[in-house]
Amino acid sequence: MRAGGGASPRPAPPPLPAATSATATLLAPASVAMPAPRLAHLRRLLLPLRSAAPHPLAANPGLQLPGPPVHPSLLLPRAMAGAAHAGVATGSAEYEEVLGCLGSLITQKVRADTGNRGNQWKLMTKYVQILELEEPIAQLKVIHVAGTKGKGSTCTFAESILRSCGFRTGLFTSPHLIDVRERFRLDGLDISEEKFIRYFWWCWNKLKDKTGDDVPMPAYFRFLALLAFKIFSDEQVDVAVLEVGLGGKYDATNVVRAPVVCGISSLGYDHMQILGNTLGEIAGEKAGILKKGVPAYTVPQPEEAMSVLMHRASELGVSLQVVQPLDPQKLEDQPLGLHGEHQYMNAGLAVALANTWLEKQGHLDRIHVKHSDTLPDQFIKGLSSACLRGRAQIVPDPQVNSENDKHGNSSLVFYLDGAHSPESMETCARWFAHVTNNDRIQEVSMEQPHTDRNSRKILLFNCMTVRDPQRLLPCLLDTCAQNGLNGANSSRTSSVFESLPLAIQWLRETAQQNQSTQFQVLVTGSLHLVGDVLRLLEK
């Protein structure tokens, strides 16, 4: 779904036809200018999810082809779409100036460019020297996490656990959903605008003074990683939890030479144009964060990936331990703060990382274990209070629900998950099927009884140009079908909207005109899409 688009007539909500078959609608994005054969194939992939509803939502079958060409900036991630997308331009004039400077660091090279690797990566050492961060980085007590799926969730769980143990925490994650300051959390909160501006100019001015033709200014993510090191060192955090941006070996965060503990979350096929075409090659890149003498943990992996991880660990003399998913009984009936069955895997890894960090730093006396069948109280509190937007997040639409529903029932609900690999699409589909098939509608702040209204399940999908929808959509649709979101008949109903606001407007108008129906919208395929939807919902 494009974040912008040309001026075109607003599509009117199609009428609901008479009851014929059970279906839902795919709102298919015009995210990529595709050749005709690929579009034809995509048509075949865009088969709608099906619900238990008695009639289809939309009357117009088939995939409507994109109109005007996509503007180049709209093909880039938020971090690469210029200053307007480097953060939220709602703060001070100085903050907007900062965002403009950040936008100037965005290159037009794709991430697969060789600048991500080898000799170009060695520039990070020069940037660290310019900013005089060698010693501050060495003094940080780092938890470093790589992986294909779940690394952000694992970092979030680990930070929340250690914060609940009473430590001052720093958390660096990517990408951001709405504001670039989300990437830098201090004690669980996004860094303030005032602090962000102050630290930004300190780094910016030093680098501007010392860079030139031989040593150019760092690219966007590298600058943000350097900024994170400056922030966490000056703020004197007890622990810095760092999520790898891409890969591991050549990631900007990998300038940390002696983390306290390393973790590698679930591996799968993603960023193959950069990391390799096999799980073994991908695992080799992720294993680049392992360091001699530093304890490391991973989760159960496919055999091809695990053998590479174990081989690299053996070369370094590292004992790489495999962690199993967390047993829910250890939480004493408390739910995880991040939803979805897959989060127990990430929580198990986070528990191992946090426990090892406490042990290595000599802080095990801070926690009290009542008995072996449960976790320490601080661990349970941290796991149950962890928060990471855009991952298995449920948001009732505030506009439609406040205007049309006087009884507290949500008539338009968005189910947001930034899944963007084949494996994570399957996980997303299982979560969506589970929460929408339950007898009770699970919402962010409360659970409300499932009403007798009809329900319509809608997919709002977009993927970035570096990913192939033909790899992602079948995983999503097949898993939905296997988990009960399928019926005997199907009506091929999909729509392309020229901008995301138009799609949201269509959904709202449709929900307002059909108040006896509950619309459940799965938003997935890209964290950037999820962030843009959240921004529109929060306006």
Side-chain angles (χ1 to χ4, degrees), residues 176-194:
H176 60 274
L177 295 181
I178 296 177
D179 191 308
V180 69
R181 292 181 294 114
E182 297 168 25
R183 297 176 183 239
F184 312 86
R185 286 198 201 177
L186 294 170
D187 290 329
L189 299 176
D190 298 348
I191 189 173
S192 69
E193 183 177 305
E194 181 272 328

Side-chain angles (χ1 to χ4, degrees), residues 230-536:
K230 175 62 177 175
I231 291 170
F232 294 158
S233 60
D234 276 26
E235 291 293 322
Q236 298 182 327
V237 300
D238 297 314
V239 55
V241 183
L242 306 179
E243 177 192 359
V244 166
L246 178 65
K249 183 177 181 180
Y250 297 113
D251 188 71
T253 61
N254 208 29
V255 295
V256 176
R257 296 182 178 179
V260 175
V261 61
C262 293
I264 298 178
S265 65
S266 297
L267 299 181
Y269 292 100
D270 196 18
H271 302 297
M272 294 163 65
Q273 75 281 12
I274 306 170
L275 304 180
N277 294 317
T278 69
L279 279 179
E281 291 174 329
I282 292 170
E285 292 293 322
K286 308 291 184 179
I289 70 166
L290 300 180
K291 305 292 190 300
K292 186 175 182 179
V294 175
Y297 295 88
T298 189
V299 298
Q301 306 281 6
E303 183 177 352
E304 181 183 359
M306 186 65 82
S307 63
V308 172
L309 295 181
M310 289 296 183
H311 178 71
R312 180 56 181 157
S314 176
E315 288 180 335
L316 294 170
V318 172
S319 174
L320 179 63
Q321 299 185 51
V322 180
V323 179
Q324 297 302 316
L326 181 66
D327 183 351
Q329 293 184 350
K330 291 184 177 291
L331 293 170
E332 293 186 336
D333 298 323
Q334 291 293 314
L336 290 175
L338 307 182
H339 303 293
E341 287 299 311
H342 61 289
Q343 292 295 359
Y344 288 97
M345 180 75 76
N346 301 324
L349 180 56
V351 166
L353 295 172
N355 192 67
T356 298
W357 188 91
L358 289 166
E359 179 184 3
K360 299 290 285 186
Q361 295 303 301
H363 294 308
L364 283 179
D365 57 336
R366 287 215 190 185
I367 62 175
H368 173 64
V369 181
K370 287 172 290 189
H371 48 83
S372 59
D373 292 336
T374 62
L375 291 170
D377 288 342
Q378 298 100 318
F379 279 51
I380 295 175
K381 179 183 177 183
L383 291 169
S384 62
S385 62
C387 177
L388 185 62
R389 295 203 300 172
R391 279 77 166 180
Q393 182 180 4
I394 305 173
V395 181
D397 181 66
Q399 178 175 312
V400 171
N401 298 326
S402 63
E403 290 180 2
N404 291 327
D405 201 278
K406 307 302 181 185
H407 304 289
N409 294 313
S410 303
S411 56
L412 177 58
V413 182
F414 290 85
Y415 298 77
L416 303 120
D417 191 87
H420 51 268
S421 69
E423 297 87 354
S424 60
M425 294 298 280
E426 293 177 10
T427 300
C428 171
R430 286 194 295 270
W431 164 72
F432 181 65
H434 173 73
V435 294
T436 57
N437 281 337
N438 275 354
D439 289 335
R440 298 175 67 84
I441 300 171
Q442 302 176 34
E443 296 189 357
V444 174
S445 59
M446 66 183 70
E447 290 190 354
Q448 298 170 349
H450 187 72
T451 67
D452 292 331
R453 293 183 299 172
N454 298 324
S455 68
R456 303 290 185 275
K457 292 174 174 60
I458 302 171
L459 173 63
L460 183 56
F461 177 86
N462 175 40
C463 66
M464 305 309 293
T465 53
V466 294
R467 296 185 176 91
D468 186 356
Q470 299 180 57
R471 286 178 53 82
L472 301 183
L473 280 170
C475 297
L476 180 76
L477 302 181
D478 291 347
T479 306
C480 281
Q482 294 164 12
N483 285 270
L485 295 186
N486 222 346
N489 300 310
S490 171
S491 173
R492 299 187 179 189
T493 53
S494 58
S495 301
V496 173
F497 291 88
E498 290 199 355
S499 73
L500 185 57
L502 286 177
I504 299 297
Q505 186 170 9
W506 181 86
L507 286 165
R508 285 173 166 167
E509 291 177 356
T510 303
Q512 289 165 347
Q513 293 178 16
N514 300 276
Q515 297 180 32
S516 63
T517 300
Q518 184 188 54
F519 296 92
Q520 299 169 316
V521 184
L522 174 59
V523 182
T524 191
S526 164
L527 275 168
H528 304 291
L529 171 67
V530 167
D532 288 337
V533 169
L534 281 172
R535 180 185 291 110
L536 289 170

Side-chain angles (χ1 to χ4, degrees), residues 40-75:
H41 184 60
L42 186 56
R43 280 197 191 93
R44 295 193 291 272
L45 293 176
L46 291 175
L47 296 176
L49 307 176
R50 302 164 196 160
S51 70
H55 48 69
L57 169 67
N60 53 323
L63 173 63
Q64 299 172 2
L65 301 185
V70 180
H71 189 279
S73 68
L74 302 176
L75 298 178

